Amino acid sequence: MLAAKIFLDRDLLRPDYIPDELPHRGPQILRLVKVLAPALKDARPSNIFIYGVPGTGKTAVTKYTLKRLNMEGEGKGISLKIAFVNCKHDDTDYRVLAELCEQIGGRIPFTGLSSAEVYRRFVKIANSSSGTIFVVLDEVDSLIKKAGDEVLYKLTRVNNQLKDTRISIIGITNDLKFTEYLDPRVRSSLGEEELVFPPYNASELEDILRDRSNRAFANLVLRPEVVKLCAALAAKDHGDARRALDLLRVSGELAERDGDISVAEEHVRKAQKEIERDRVVEVVRTMPLHSKLLILSLNAIQRRSPSGGTTGEIYEVYTQITKEFGVDALTQRRVGDLVNELDMLGIANARVVSKGRYGRTKVVSLSISYRNLQDATADDARMAAYVHK
Ligand code: ADP
Ligand code: MG
């Protein structure tokens, strides 16, 4: 059978692809250009701190704007260097500094030096040229939470050690409360300028998707309701453009897999289920140990009584499981907090029920399927075995 061609260029829908146009981000791009443009006049741009919930275009806008600025600089014979680090991938002082060195032309061994030494090398390499170096620390909250703000502190002071070079820092975060973790001195120098990215609404997401889908899909393959539906669903999910694009891409992939000639609403519905399933599995898979043990407890209880268990019952099973895993149990109060966390993440469902004259009690059940739980624990043999118990 000759399968219909669904995609012209699927890569245009990938999250790391930067399109030539970024609809509805004009004001943010303008602001960023204004803050960073002094680099083209050989002055140091202010540091800037960018924040907004995930999928609001922070990374895309920053890369896009720096690329434009760099092109303009090249035209004028002005050298700009861009060192871009994703602190979620490189989340130690050493990795961040090593990555910065490499991006401005140094070579750092994977391990073996102290981070102080890597920092010295960074300063040395930076000093060997002139002009502006933009240091972009994307998802910088990951670094701070894991390693503290020492590197950030050093970087905000580094200009004192430089001669003909200037460093300007662009810090990006999804975590709006992140500045609370920072030393006030770091906060004020990083936040010389601040830029907020608001979530997209449904009609903005529609424009974004339409733009990107035009060249990604074959002609007339997308049914008219598809883009609208993907945009509406992602708008409910705090206006996340990444989610909207994922929905559209996965919908197309499902249509392709089924050998359908067009992408329709049913594909989007299926795509949403699939994405949600992956999200849940990933959330559970990366949870801390005690949350996982709590989930195992909920699972064990649920296999006996499908409506779930009271907090007392849960704690009893949980302490039993911690013994079997050879770890100390957390306090009942702490476990209560973890239950609330699971509830908020949509992994468990806690409800208060009336027990007649015995008063009210909280009953908690697991909201994820047995199959998802199996997938989420598959890479840990002991847990996987426990899921079946
Ligand atoms: P953030 O860094 O805020 O989490 P990203 O910049 O990674 O978000 O954006 C998520 C995805 O959505 C990326 O694929 C990006 O290219 C795309 N995107 C975001 N905003 C726009 C826009 N205005 N136009 C086109 N694509 C966009
Ligand atoms: Mg980002």
Side-chain angles (χ1 to χ4, degrees):
M1 190 185 77
L2 188 66
K5 196 172 168 68
I6 296 283
F7 292 105
L8 276 183
D9 189 351
R10 175 190 329 234
D11 288 344
L12 300 187
L13 298 175
R14 298 225 174 269
D16 48 1
Y17 175 81
I18 309 287
D20 296 332
E21 304 281 335
L22 294 166
H24 303 292
R25 278 303 175 242
Q28 284 75 17
I29 294 172
L30 263 180
R31 225 345 255 307
L32 198 53
V33 167
K34 215 166 158 187
V35 172
L36 306 183
L40 298 178
K41 299 196 188 90
D42 262 350
R44 184 183 82 83
S46 299
N47 296 331
I48 184 165
F49 188 47
I50 296 177
Y51 50 99
V53 296
T56 48
K58 301 180 298 296
T59 302
V61 162
T62 304
K63 286 189 166 166
Y64 171 95
T65 308
L66 285 171
K67 196 170 142 198
R68 293 288 153 112
L69 217 59
N70 197 25
M71 274 159 51
E72 211 177 313
E74 274 170 5
K76 295 180 173 172
I78 292 172
S79 106
L80 299 180
K81 287 202 168 119
I82 298 163
F84 188 102
V85 182
N86 186 316
C87 304
K88 203 165 179 176
H89 302 148
D90 294 309
D91 62 356
T92 63
D93 291 357
Y94 189 94
R95 284 309 312 153
V96 166
L97 289 168
E99 195 56 40
L100 291 177
C101 284
E102 302 209 338
Q103 297 209 14
I104 59 171
R107 294 281 301 137
I108 300 291
F110 198 73
T111 55
L113 304 176
S114 67
S115 29
E117 173 58 23
V118 185
Y119 177 74
R120 269 193 295 280
R121 293 197 188 182
F122 174 70
V123 174
K124 196 166 157 214
I125 302 162
N127 254 331
S128 67
S129 61
S130 62
T132 302
I133 301 174
F134 287 111
V135 166
V136 188
L137 301 172
D138 200 358
E139 314 210 36
V140 61
D141 47 304
S142 302
L143 172 71
I144 307 304
K145 283 176 197 156
K146 180 135 181 243
D149 58 5
E150 195 189 323
V151 161
L152 210 51
Y153 179 76
K154 278 187 174 160
L155 287 172
T156 53
R157 297 288 179 279
V158 69
N159 283 302
N160 304 330
Q161 294 170 265
L162 300 175
K163 290 191 295 287
D164 299 325
T165 323
R166 293 167 303 270
I167 283 182
S168 155
I169 305 171
I170 302 171
I172 306 177
T173 177
N174 292 327
D175 181 350
L176 313 187
K177 288 195 308 216
F178 141 85
T179 54
E180 290 170 14
Y181 299 98
L182 292 177
D183 180 306
R185 290 170 301 179
V186 178
R187 191 187 312 162
S188 66
S189 47
L190 183 60
E192 284 174 332
E193 298 280 346
E194 288 188 350
L195 182 53
V196 183
F197 280 56
Y200 295 114
N201 63 33
S203 96
E204 291 170 339
L205 288 171
E206 235 181 284
D207 292 337
I208 290 171
L209 289 184
R210 200 157 282 129
D211 246 41
R212 288 183 68 157
S213 63
N214 271 341
R215 287 174 304 129
F217 286 93
N219 213 3
L220 301 177
V221 152
L222 271 191
R223 297 277 278 276
E225 72 271 17
V226 167
V227 162
K228 237 191 163 64
L229 182 57
C230 291
L233 291 172
K236 275 196 233 151
D237 198 8
H238 64 252
D240 184 340
R242 182 178 297 107
R243 170 53 82 93
L245 284 161
D246 281 349
L247 268 171
L248 193 59
R249 193 192 71 248
V250 175
S251 303
E253 286 168 356
L254 290 172
E256 193 174 55
R257 200 187 302 162
D258 295 348
D260 292 333
I261 54 166
S262 60
V263 187
E265 176 173 345
E266 60 181 274
H267 299 114
V268 182
R269 302 279 178 206
K270 267 197 226 158
Q272 198 193 15
K273 282 211 189 91
E274 195 161 292
I275 290 171
E276 182 55 25
R277 183 175 164 271
D278 290 349
R279 186 191 73 88
V280 166
V281 169
E282 185 57 18
V283 166
V284 174
R285 205 180 60 77
T286 54
M287 273 190 165
L289 176 68
H290 283 276
S291 301
K292 283 186 180 163
L293 297 182
L294 179 56
I295 291 173
L296 291 185
S297 319
L298 289 168
N299 174 58
I301 289 175
Q302 207 140 340
R303 299 188 70 180
R304 296 197 307 255
S305 64
S307 62
T310 65
T311 41
E313 289 163 348
I314 293 166
Y315 192 67
E316 208 171 290
V317 175
Y318 160 81
T319 34
Q320 187 56 40
I321 292 184
T322 54
K323 271 194 206 117
E324 290 180 38
F325 276 76
V327 295
D328 291 333
L330 301 174
T331 62
Q332 183 150 11
R333 184 187 169 141
R334 186 69 194 102
V335 170
D337 291 342
L338 293 183
V339 167
N340 292 338
E341 214 175 280
L342 294 181
D343 189 19
M344 251 163 43
L345 288 167
I347 289 176
N349 173 28
R351 60 201 186 283
V352 176
V353 297
S354 165
K355 289 257 168 175
R357 63 195 170 92
Y358 300 111
R360 291 143 65 80
T361 179
K362 200 189 231 178
V363 173
V364 187
S365 58
L366 212 52
S367 332
I368 65 171
S369 68
Y370 185 64
R371 160 110 192 272
N372 288 354
L373 187 57
Q374 281 180 313
D375 288 351
T377 50
D379 53 5
D380 182 326
R382 221 147 59 114
M383 289 213 181
Y386 211 92
V387 170
H388 307 280
K389 242 182 164 174

